[in-house]
Amino acid sequence: MTDCIFCRIAQGEIPSDTVYEDDEVLAFRDLNPQAPVHILVIPKRHIATLNDLSAEDAGLVGRLHWVAAQLARQEGIAEDGYRTVLNCNPAGGQSVYHLHLHLLGGRQMAWPAG
């Protein structure tokens, strides 16, 4: 999608502070971090929301979480703990309509969220 900012980042059209990349997944630091570590993990293929996933995407969603766990170790936040978040649609807090997992850590997370 040419109008999707995350698709453009995944295609290398817009620079990012990339921390991980493979054939299916890209991870980069959030430009407006909400924690000392705030990384976005995205599929390279455009999927607008969680509601748009198919059964065939289950492995991809698992891969997003696996990458987040590897990055948490790499960033030194795995032992203390971290949060992963997938927002869906406006009431869920989604602002970019390309599926993305937030990896947040490096500080105490409050609950309830939001």
Side-chain angles (χ1 to χ4, degrees), residues 7-60:
C7 284
R8 293 182 67 203
I9 290 170
Q11 294 166 0
E13 295 174 16
I14 297 174
S16 67
D17 186 357
T18 300
V19 294
Y20 178 87
E21 184 172 10
D22 64 28
D23 290 341
E24 296 180 297
V25 174
L26 179 71
F28 53 92
R29 296 192 189 280
D30 195 296
L31 288 177
N32 184 26
Q34 302 301 303
V37 174
H38 189 170
I39 296 171
L40 301 177
V41 184
I42 68 167
K44 288 185 173 180
R45 179 170 51 90
H46 185 82
I47 302 169
T49 75
L50 270 171
N51 292 338
D52 298 305
L53 292 171
S54 68
E56 291 78 29
D57 295 320
L60 178 60

Side-chain angles (χ1 to χ4, degrees), residues 33-102:
Q34 302 301 303
V37 174
H38 189 170
I39 296 171
L40 301 177
V41 184
I42 68 167
K44 288 185 173 180
R45 179 170 51 90
H46 185 82
I47 302 169
T49 75
L50 270 171
N51 292 338
D52 298 305
L53 292 171
S54 68
E56 291 78 29
D57 295 320
L60 178 60
V61 174
R63 184 153 188 80
L64 297 177
H65 282 89
W66 180 84
V67 168
Q70 301 312 304
L71 291 170
R73 288 183 190 88
Q74 178 181 306
E75 296 289 318
I77 61 171
E79 289 302 314
D80 286 341
Y82 56 92
R83 179 173 290 166
T84 60
V85 178
L86 284 166
N87 299 321
C88 186
N89 285 328
Q94 186 175 10
S95 59
V96 176
Y97 286 84
H98 183 118
L99 186 70
H100 56 286
L101 181 140
H102 296 260

